[in-house]
């Protein structure tokens, strides 16, 4: 009898989708943190200049 690989393929697809979702969420957090840091730096530079 022939082995069926459709379940393996389905779980791989689900895992890769989940991985992509988690990476996307992580990158969003990193970008937000970078933006906040940049704003903080700009404010402190501006405060020093005044």
């Amino acid at each position: 009898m022939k082995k069926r690989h459709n379940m393996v393929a389905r779980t791989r697809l689900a895992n890769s989708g989940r991985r992509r979702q988690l990476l996307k969420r992580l990158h969003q957090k990193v970008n937000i943190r970078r933006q906040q840091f940049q704003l903080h730096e700009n404010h402190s530079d501006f405060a020093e200049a005044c």
Side-chain angles (χ1 to χ4, degrees):
M1 281 184 72
K2 212 173 187 180
K3 261 189 178 179
R4 287 197 179 142
H5 297 287
N6 59 357
M7 280 301 289
V8 174
R10 190 178 299 158
T11 54
R12 275 188 197 147
L13 230 170
N15 286 341
S16 66
R18 199 170 295 128
R19 190 183 306 123
R20 284 185 63 214
Q21 209 173 30
L22 288 171
L23 272 174
K24 205 183 272 188
R25 213 174 292 156
L26 179 73
H27 281 294
Q28 281 177 342
K29 285 182 182 178
V30 169
N31 285 334
I32 289 170
R33 187 116 358 120
R34 279 185 184 152
Q35 286 172 356
Q36 286 174 345
F37 182 76
Q38 193 67 41
L39 280 172
H40 182 71
E41 287 290 305
N42 288 345
H43 283 298
S44 61
D45 289 347
F46 187 72
E48 284 177 9
C50 289

